Amino acid sequence: MCDAMTLRPVAFCVALLAAPAVLASQAQGHFPPDSLINVKVIPKNTPVMQVIGMMRNFTGALGVRCPFCHVGQEGQPLASFDFAKDEKRTKLTARQMMRMVEEVNHRLDTLPEHEKMASHVEVTCATCHRGVNRPMPLEQLIQETATTAGVDSASRAYRALRERYYGRAAYDFGEPTLDVAAFRLGRAGKFVEAFAILKLNEDQFPTSSNLATFRGNINVMKGDTAAAVAAFREAVRRDSTNGEAQGRLRQLTRP
Ligand code: HEC
Ligand code: HEC
């Protein structure tokens, strides 16, 4: 840090080097702290209790606890935490996210007839995070896990997430999620994985016509016409109004 400031007096560098130790000792000892030390987005004169409230919102929105972003031991008193320290990547990311949310809400203020609306919807961390720290859509999570760690891991991950989050906004456990994951695996030429993920979905939605249509389409990608025809027939059997499956059948069985 001081190398880059060769024109500055040595004393200044010494002061900078000493600063983190001073910050640390100020942050420790009691909670809540008397004042804010190292805030870059939150205005410095914000009441500490208001900041703590904001922090509790972060933990709820991301489904984490204070040590996810701050230096301190889970289970230890908050007085032993060093909240001012910028050591964790997640804290630095969170600061960028705070700036992003500010920008988004400023943009929302410019919507046409914004002033006339009786109520406004503000974007918060929870809008995207919905109780998880990395808000990846479930179809992407399953597709990536199947690709990098194998389809058994992906199936286990799906079941564990369903166990933990079903009924919450975190992940969409509706039928299309695994259909889409399977379709993307098929598009990447990973047919074994694609059919295994479809099977996992079929265990939950055994009468879905839509799912059979996906099986047909993945078989088309694979070049297995007989299996595709069987799947589209099954789709029509499950729902005689399934126009996509009917259309595919006509194409595939044209003499
Ligand atoms: C998702 C990350 C994240 C979580 C979780 C989080 N914080 Fe923070 N916290 C931050 C960020 C980022 C800042 C700095 C904000 C700024 O620069 O304006 C901050 C600042 C603070 C500060 C002010 C520190 C100072 O410089 O004076 C306190 C106190 C604090 N957090 C307490 C907590 C507590 C208590 C919890 C748990 C209830 C918590 N935080 C959870 C990201 C987080
Ligand atoms: C517009 C949607 C959106 C909003 C709003 C949002 N985030 Fe995020 N956040 C994301 C996405 C997407 C990622 C994942 C980026 C990646 O890993 O590729 C992420 C990642 C993070 C991470 C890193 C998590 C990890 O495990 O690596 C933190 C910390 C975080 N956000 C904090 C916040 C906080 C705090 C707020 C509110 C001030 C917030 N985010 C608001 C979309 C959002």
Side-chain angles (χ1 to χ4, degrees):
M1 174 159 46
C2 286
D3 287 351
M5 299 187 218
T6 42
L7 297 179
R8 307 218 177 224
V10 172
F12 184 79
C13 286
V14 172
L16 273 182
L17 288 174
V22 174
L23 290 184
S25 64
Q26 276 179 344
Q28 281 161 2
H30 58 285
F31 186 86
D34 301 323
S35 57
L36 301 175
I37 298 167
N38 180 30
V39 289
K40 301 193 164 137
V41 183
I42 300 168
K44 200 127 197 180
N45 56 0
T46 310
V48 171
M49 287 322 286
Q50 199 175 314
V51 173
I52 306 294
M54 200 184 282
M55 293 297 143
R56 294 210 190 285
N57 288 342
F58 286 3
T59 60
L62 273 69
V64 299
R65 296 166 64 87
C66 314
F68 183 72
C69 296
H70 292 291
V71 176
Q73 282 299 314
E74 179 66 56
Q76 291 301 305
L78 291 179
S80 68
F81 279 50
D82 189 346
F83 288 109
K85 210 172 202 167
D86 283 350
E87 194 176 284
K88 298 199 170 174
R89 172 189 65 88
T90 42
K91 185 181 179 192
L92 302 178
T93 299
R95 210 176 253 139
Q96 290 301 89
M97 293 270 157
M98 293 167 77
R99 295 189 169 112
M100 175 184 75
V101 167
E102 250 177 40
E103 284 167 20
V104 169
N105 283 318
H106 281 141
R107 179 67 65 176
L108 288 178
D109 287 342
T110 70
L111 293 184
E113 307 196 7
H114 179 81
E115 298 307 323
K116 287 193 220 157
M117 290 180 187
S119 69
H120 293 119
V121 183
E122 276 215 328
V123 166
T124 67
C125 314
T127 308
C128 296
H129 280 271
R130 310 173 321 273
V132 294
N133 55 299
R134 197 165 179 232
M136 184 182 281
L138 186 56
E139 59 271 21
Q140 184 184 354
L141 201 157
I142 295 302
Q143 179 209 346
E144 285 190 4
T145 308
T147 303
T148 58
V151 75
D152 290 342
S153 297
S155 302
R156 270 198 303 279
Y158 183 84
R159 291 202 187 91
L161 290 171
R162 195 171 189 285
E163 187 69 30
R164 175 159 177 206
Y165 290 108
Y166 190 86
R168 309 299 308 265
Y171 294 109
D172 181 351
F173 296 103
E175 191 218 309
T177 296
L178 290 184
D179 291 339
V180 170
F183 187 82
R184 291 184 187 166
L185 286 164
R187 213 170 39 195
K190 298 201 162 280
F191 296 112
V192 173
E193 289 83 353
F195 290 122
I197 292 298
L198 269 192
K199 170 74 174 62
L200 175 64
N201 214 20
E202 186 126 33
D203 293 344
Q204 305 182 79
F205 304 99
T207 61
S208 166
S209 175
N210 191 42
L211 197 155
T213 310
F214 270 93
R215 174 169 292 120
N217 283 327
I218 296 169
N219 273 303
V220 169
M221 291 191 252
K222 193 184 166 196
D224 188 340
T225 307
V229 168
F232 290 130
R233 288 217 168 101
E234 176 61 17
V236 175
R237 195 186 64 75
R238 289 178 184 180
D239 175 6
S240 59
T241 68
N242 185 333
E244 181 180 349
Q246 286 166 341
R248 295 281 189 199
L249 271 179
R250 273 196 302 277
Q251 285 169 354
L252 289 173
T253 57
R254 221 176 355 228

